[in-house]
Amino acid sequence: MPIPDPAPQPILSDLVLIGGGHAHLHILKMVGMPESEGGFHNLVTQLGLRITLITKDVLTPYSGMVPGYVAGHYSFEQAHIDLAKICGFSGVRLIKGEVNRIDYDKKKKGGHVYLKGDNGNGNGNGNSNGNENEFLGRGGIRFDVLAIDVGSSPNLGNLKILNSSVPPASSPLLTAVKPISTFSSRWNALLSTFQNPSQFLEKYSLLNPHITVVVGSGAGGVELTLSVHTRLRAELENRGIDENCCKVVLVARSGALLGQHNASVRNIFERILTERGIDVVRGHEPESIEALDNENGNGYGNGYGNGNDKLLRFKGGGEPLTFSTALFCTSASAPSWFETSTPFELTSEESGKFLSIDSTFQVIGTEGVFASGDCATNVSDPRPKAGVFAVRAGVMVRENILRYLQGWQLKEFSLQKEFLGLISTGDKYAVASRGEQALEGEALWKLKDAIDVTWMEGFQKLPEMAADENRLPTGGEKWGVSKKSLVENLMRCGGCGAKVGSGVLERVLAELGGNGTENDNQQSLRDMDDCAISEIGEGATHMLQTIDYTPSFISDPYQFGYVAAVHAMSDMFAMCVSQEEELTLLCLASVPPTPRDVITESTLTSVLRGSFDAVRAAGGKIVGGHTVEGPLGLGFAVSRTVKGKGSWLTKGGGRIGDVIVVTKKLGVGAYFADEMRGGGGAREREQVIDSMMESNKIAGDVAAKLNKETGENAVRSATDVTGFGLMGHLIEMVKASRKVEEGKMQTKMRAKINLEKIAFLNGGVNAAVKGVFSSLQEENYKCRGGVSNHDECLARWEKDDQIMAKYLLLFNPETSGGLLFFVRAAEADAFVKELAVQGVEGVKVGDLEELGEDESGEGEYCAVVDKEKGTGTKEKIRKGGDFVRVV
């Protein structure tokens, strides 16, 4: 008897990376690289290692390019690294969140990480205290090995914000350069001040210039000062405003600038600052900042204009300084939660309270916990807080993590003490500093630019992700299966993209005799409503039931659990039931098998926490379930009792003249297909996930409320947009609406939709433009025969990639998509308005129109040659019917 195929490699340990710092970037990329290219992908698999990245910002800036970004030499995209793409490339779980607590058990050598704002974080153990109405939150994220690289923040000392309870680090009156991600949004806000010349000149002038204060006397502060000066003057010049209407002031706590560099370097920068006309306030330490009321004449008034509405005071006296914007780039400070919410050894108060590490990068006295970058200090061999050391630490931290996992002795490392510093001056000119040497010139900026761009490209231009063709079976051509189809079969989508196509289901059910096709008088699969409806007991009580199963397709287990539950409940919400009876759900959870119970427990807990929270948010309850071992996935049986017959909506009921309303944007399936191939992006991903996590309950409640208030169905029919795509579900509704009482047909009805009015997700459009779609797209596209003017649409938009992409996305499967309504025209505007009031974006995309005299409205499933593929094979395609017209 042959040995059965082996089960997937079991997970044996969890490595959690906190922060997307420079050292962790190296680790993340190398996880996805083969050993032949310096990576350790195979070793990760052999070790049964599951890696999770927790990061506050999925778009992480490269500190070396921030001055160039500020000066306008680099775009946002050039200066930032997309962690979502790197994690997708390497198969690393990505959790977006800000860590604020770590628990560690020295006996078990492991622990849990908790996130800021997480409801499961409040009582110390992540439990909900038994309150069934309280949200569980994400809870603790377990680890066997932990690596921390969260950077640092400027040390604000004892700075006070007067007349405010907001701590200085969070105050809108100042901007700390680190974390750089926060600085980026504040910097954009500053630039917006310069966008409108007339508004700018209302507040600022030559006599009253816009003042930006930069606090910090080190290389970072001086470099930032020069970059800000260059950019802001250029902004004014580009708008025809005298560049002297803005002023930059450098505030130095010490008398000397660039204290860690040699005298020659300091002299060069003193000269450049003087040439640029930048004032330097020396030997002054900021004491307080307060907001001024210049509008009512209560400003401090030191010769500058009303736009400078803040006041900086110094310790020990000195003339206060009014300003518009303050940027702090002072010495590094560790995150405050290191001291309050971790058990780790820290450096002294004077040394900044950083994580104390040894030469192996392991936190002292804590096995299996490593740290690098600005947040950590090697107490026996300290180095300055500079990005050059973090970049080089990546290889070293990686090696010792792998050594620890294999039970090997850790290796001690020593970072270099001298390094080449290239400090830009804002105008594509740079100064080189090494030891006692100093050079300056444009060539040095070109060198710095080349180094930075090359380093960034290593993380921005990742190797193309492709299926392993060694796994392909042979002999496909004999059965009419192309190699392309076989390759695509290895990259099947999750979510609703994992559904079996409607045509296959219909033929199977016809074979079983439980359902008919359109060639007989029995009910077709496409005639079925979103929920099964059964009469129970007396008093016209009915049970509404639906079932759904979603294979995992999101790396964050909590988010996956949440989305899977939201998606499963959508069928119920599409029924727009007017009563408020509680939803009850049964859950089926499939969890990958592993010999370590703690791993299974962690995985199952994470996904179910998300599901429980989603169900509770919708006013429902999970009352039971079942678990199996297998690929990660969640299924739900959803039920609700309803009193009164017909107090729900079905897919049918639309009438000619009704308005078609859609909630949520389209493109989920295409986006995740693209992400699977190394595409997508952090911003696009966040938009998609936010959309999927939005429940359809509110939209369904609004429809039910309107129908109750009008005493009749102003909202005539509804369904949710999921696996069959907008086009497939729209055809379902039109087909169902053509059937009226006593078997009569209103076959002269058709849906007309305006493509320009339909909203799309940016990531979905980007994927479709590249020709990337969900694996279910091909099956869904077979309903194109029901589009009256399909060929015309293809011809009209063949030269417009964007419009063609949007048209094809009408067939795209959606996971946790929105609701699709037919609304009586008289109430359509009120319906859309009330949706907006409740926070739901509803769009009127078309209406139901009457067919022309030469249009039959008759259609059927029939076998046709698939000429588009040129294979001569046959497919089941809906031909005719005139169900939809696209304009």
Side-chain angles (χ1 to χ4, degrees):
M1 178 178 177
I3 300 174
D5 291 336
Q9 186 77 13
I11 300 169
L12 298 178
S13 59
D14 276 309
L15 165 62
V16 172
L17 308 175
I18 301 177
H22 300 341
H24 284 179
L25 285 172
H26 169 81
I27 296 173
L28 290 169
K29 180 182 177 181
M30 290 299 107
V31 171
M33 300 293 287
E35 278 71 4
S36 60
E37 298 183 38
F40 57 104
H41 177 75
N42 292 341
L43 182 57
V44 167
T45 303
Q46 293 168 12
L47 293 173
L49 181 63
R50 179 170 63 182
I51 304 176
T52 302
L53 171 67
I54 304 173
T55 179
K56 177 184 176 184
D57 302 292
V58 182
L59 284 171
T60 184
Y62 171 43
S63 59
M65 295 180 82
V66 169
Y69 165 65
V70 169
H73 305 320
Y74 304 117
S75 66
F76 181 92
E77 289 72 23
Q78 288 174 310
H80 288 72
I81 296 170
D82 192 328
L83 296 176
K85 284 189 175 183
I86 296 180
C87 288
F89 167 76
S90 298
V92 172
R93 298 197 307 179
L94 174 62
I95 296 175
K96 182 181 179 182
E98 183 178 358
V99 174
N100 72 343
R101 192 177 106 225
I102 301 173
D103 292 342
Y104 179 79
D105 189 322
K106 287 193 174 184
K107 291 183 179 179
K108 296 181 179 179
K109 297 182 177 61
H112 292 84
V113 175
Y114 297 88
L115 304 186
K116 182 178 180 180
D118 184 70
N119 291 323
N121 185 16
N123 61 5
N125 60 12
N127 294 326
S128 64
N129 296 318
N131 184 350
E132 64 179 22
N133 294 318
E134 182 179 341
F135 291 108
L136 295 173
R138 188 184 296 277
I141 302 163
R142 77 170 304 276
F143 65 84
D144 297 293
V145 184
L146 182 68
I148 306 170
D149 184 9
V150 295
S152 62
S153 300
N155 185 353
L156 301 180
N158 295 317
L159 181 71
K160 298 177 181 179
I161 306 298
L162 302 183
N163 304 316
S164 174
S165 60
V166 178
S170 304
S171 174
L173 301 185
L174 66 92
T175 297
V177 175
K178 293 184 178 181
I180 299 173
S181 55
T182 304
F183 167 77
S184 180
S185 61
R186 295 281 187 90
W187 173 246
N188 288 334
L190 170 59
L191 290 179
S192 68
T193 305
F194 291 71
Q195 300 306 306
N196 189 308
S198 60
Q199 291 181 3
F200 180 87
L201 292 173
E202 287 178 1
K203 292 185 176 182
Y204 308 105
S205 65
L206 287 173
L207 294 178
N208 300 303
H210 176 285
I211 297 178
T212 300
V213 173
V214 179
V215 180
S217 59
V222 173
E223 190 174 26
L224 179 64
T225 299
L226 292 166
S227 296
V228 170
H229 183 266
T230 298
R231 179 65 176 277
L232 296 187
R233 291 171 75 87
E235 291 289 324
L236 293 180
E237 183 180 1
N238 291 339
R239 288 161 180 78
I241 302 174
D242 192 309
E243 58 188 24
N244 290 307
C245 287
C246 75
K247 185 179 182 68
V248 180
V249 179
L250 175 61
V251 174
R253 291 176 175 175
S254 61
L257 304 180
L258 296 103
Q260 294 183 340
H261 293 267
N262 62 64
S264 298
V265 170
R266 294 197 294 271
N267 290 336
I268 290 172
F269 277 100
E270 291 282 4
R271 186 198 79 226
I272 292 173
L273 289 167
T274 301
E275 292 173 350
R276 305 276 176 91
I278 296 174
D279 290 344
V280 181
V281 178
R282 304 174 189 271
H284 284 62
E285 183 173 354
E287 180 181 51
S288 67
I289 294 177
E290 67 175 308
L292 300 177
D293 187 4
N294 286 338
E295 293 296 327
N296 295 316
N298 297 327
Y300 194 82
N302 66 347
Y304 298 121
N306 288 338
N308 298 300
D309 55 359
K310 305 171 189 72
L311 182 69
L312 174 63
R313 288 191 174 93
F314 301 102
K315 291 182 178 179
E319 183 180 359
L321 180 64
T322 56
F323 65 92
S324 178
T325 302
L327 308 176
F328 276 68
C329 189
T330 53
S331 58
S333 174
S336 60
W337 59 270
F338 279 5
E339 182 177 10
T340 61
S341 305
T342 74
F344 306 138
E345 183 173 324
L346 306 178
T347 61
S348 65
E349 184 80 36
E350 296 75 20
S351 300
K353 292 285 185 178
F354 296 101
L355 294 170
S356 297
I357 61 172
D358 57 26
S359 296
T360 68
F361 291 92
Q362 190 168 236
V363 175
I364 293 175
T366 313
E367 290 187 42
V369 178
F370 299 84
S372 57
D374 286 359
C375 69
T377 297
N378 183 345
V379 292
S380 63
D381 193 17
R383 293 288 183 275
K385 302 299 180 185
V388 63
F389 299 115
V391 169
R392 297 185 180 182
V395 177
M396 305 170 189
V397 175
R398 178 196 77 177
E399 181 167 343
N400 273 340
I401 287 175
L402 294 176
R403 283 175 171 269
Y404 179 84
L405 286 165
Q406 295 173 92
W408 299 354
Q409 182 176 350
L410 302 186
K411 185 176 180 179
E412 294 189 356
F413 294 96
S414 179
L415 292 166
Q416 79 277 19
K417 293 187 176 181
E418 285 191 356
F419 61 94
L420 174 64
L422 293 170
I423 310 168
S424 63
T425 62
D427 56 349
K428 295 191 176 182
Y429 192 90
V431 178
S433 172
R434 183 179 179 89
E436 296 302 317
Q437 298 176 315
L439 291 172
E440 61 178 303
E442 294 180 359
L444 291 172
W445 190 89
K446 292 180 180 179
L447 173 62
K448 173 178 170 55
D449 174 63
I451 292 172
D452 290 340
V453 169
T454 299
W455 189 82
M456 287 290 281
E457 286 182 347
F459 299 99
Q460 293 176 332
K461 298 181 179 180
L462 300 169
E464 185 177 349
M465 297 169 65
D468 182 5
E469 296 191 11
N470 293 323
R471 296 170 54 197
L472 296 180
T474 58
E477 293 182 1
K478 176 177 175 60
W479 309 109
V481 179
S482 67
K483 181 180 178 181
K484 179 176 179 290
S485 296
L486 289 172
V487 170
E488 290 176 347
N489 195 67
L490 294 178
M491 303 185 75
R492 307 296 290 183
C493 293
C496 243
K499 293 178 71 169
V500 173
S502 61
V504 173
L505 280 176
E506 189 145 356
R507 293 191 293 275
V508 168
L509 291 174
E511 178 72 20
L512 295 174
N515 238 339
T517 69
E518 295 184 35
N519 295 324
D520 56 40
N521 294 320
Q522 299 182 54
Q523 190 179 39
S524 166
L525 175 69
R526 285 183 174 269
D527 295 330
M528 301 293 285
D529 275 304
D530 293 302
C531 292
I533 304 169
S534 305
E535 187 172 353
I536 58 174
E538 297 180 358
T541 299
H542 292 77
M543 175 73 74
L544 273 58
Q545 295 173 297
T546 184
I547 191 166
D548 193 88
Y549 185 85
T550 305
S552 176
F553 64 107
I554 305 173
S555 63
D556 182 333
Y558 177 87
Q559 284 184 340
F560 166 64
Y562 199 102
V563 169
V566 168
H567 175 73
M569 292 185 289
S570 284
D571 280 334
M572 189 66 70
F573 298 139
M575 303 296 284
C576 303
V577 177
S578 57
Q579 289 90 348
E580 297 183 358
E581 284 79 3
E582 186 177 59
L583 288 176
T584 57
L585 291 85
L586 296 174
C587 176
L588 171 64
S590 176
V591 186
T594 173
R596 293 189 67 193
D597 288 348
V598 290
I599 300 286
T600 304
E601 180 181 340
S602 170
T603 303
L604 186 57
T605 300
S606 294
V607 295
L608 289 183
R609 276 179 172 270
S611 295
F612 270 70
D613 281 353
V615 173
R616 285 177 177 176
K621 182 186 295 184
I622 295 177
V623 296
H626 185 72
T627 58
V628 296
E629 291 184 342
L632 186 62
L634 283 172
F636 297 91
V638 188
S639 61
R640 164 184 262 170
T641 57
V642 179
K643 293 181 180 179
K645 185 176 181 179
S647 57
W648 54 80
L649 294 184
T650 64
K651 294 177 183 177
R655 296 291 181 267
I656 293 172
D658 286 353
V659 175
I660 303 170
V661 176
V662 178
T663 68
K664 293 197 183 184
K665 299 177 180 179
L666 305 180
V668 173
Y671 172 78
F672 281 106
D674 193 28
E675 187 176 80
M676 230 181 4
R677 292 161 174 79
R683 289 170 172 167
E684 294 83 356
R685 188 177 199 272
E686 187 167 352
Q687 184 191 32
V688 171
I689 290 177
D690 286 347
S691 176
M692 291 191 299
M693 293 183 74
E694 179 185 338
S695 172
N696 285 322
K697 180 181 186 299
I698 294 177
D701 287 348
V702 170
K705 180 183 177 183
L706 179 60
N707 284 346
K708 186 175 183 180
E709 290 175 348
T710 59
E712 53 188 344
N713 281 0
V715 180
R716 299 193 197 267
S717 54
T719 191
D720 59 332
V721 181
T722 52
F724 299 150
L726 176 65
M727 188 64 75
H729 290 291
L730 182 57
I731 288 175
E732 286 181 337
M733 290 183 69
V734 173
K735 183 171 177 291
S737 294
R738 285 178 174 178
K739 295 183 178 181
V740 293
E741 294 81 4
E742 300 178 359
K744 295 180 181 179
M745 302 287 291
Q746 48 175 2
T747 57
K748 289 297 183 179
M749 176 199 297
R750 173 175 61 193
K752 179 188 69 177
I753 56 174
N754 188 327
L755 190 60
E756 292 183 353
K757 293 183 178 181
I758 298 173
F760 294 88
L761 296 161
N762 296 333
V765 175
N766 294 341
V769 167
K770 294 186 288 186
V772 177
F773 295 95
S774 166
S775 50
L776 190 58
Q777 175 85 6
E778 183 177 354
E779 179 67 25
N780 284 353
Y781 192 50
K782 292 176 182 178
C783 76
R784 63 190 180 274
V787 180
S788 303
N789 60 336
H790 171 71
D791 291 338
E792 176 191 327
C793 291
L794 294 184
R796 188 194 320 165
W797 295 319
E798 65 177 346
K799 294 183 179 180
D800 191 325
D801 292 343
Q802 289 283 323
I803 300 297
M804 180 61 78
K806 291 179 178 180
Y807 175 69
L808 295 177
L809 285 176
L810 299 180
F811 304 87
N812 175 76
E814 305 290 334
T815 300
S816 190
L819 296 186
L820 172 61
F821 298 98
F822 290 167
V823 186
R824 195 166 55 191
E827 284 82 17
D829 287 340
F831 177 60
V832 171
K833 182 178 180 180
E834 182 60 23
L835 286 174
V837 169
Q838 299 301 326
V840 177
E841 183 182 3
V843 181
K844 296 186 294 182
V845 301
D847 54 35
L848 298 181
E849 65 178 7
E850 186 172 5
L851 292 174
E853 294 183 0
D854 58 340
E855 296 170 311
S856 68
E858 297 177 357
E860 60 181 6
Y861 276 100
C862 59
V864 299
V865 175
D866 187 1
K867 296 179 180 179
E868 293 179 13
K869 291 183 178 178
T871 61
T873 59
K874 296 189 176 184
E875 64 175 354
K876 291 286 185 178
I877 181 172
R878 182 181 295 280
K879 189 175 182 181
D882 291 320
F883 293 105
V884 180
R885 182 168 67 95
V886 182
V887 298

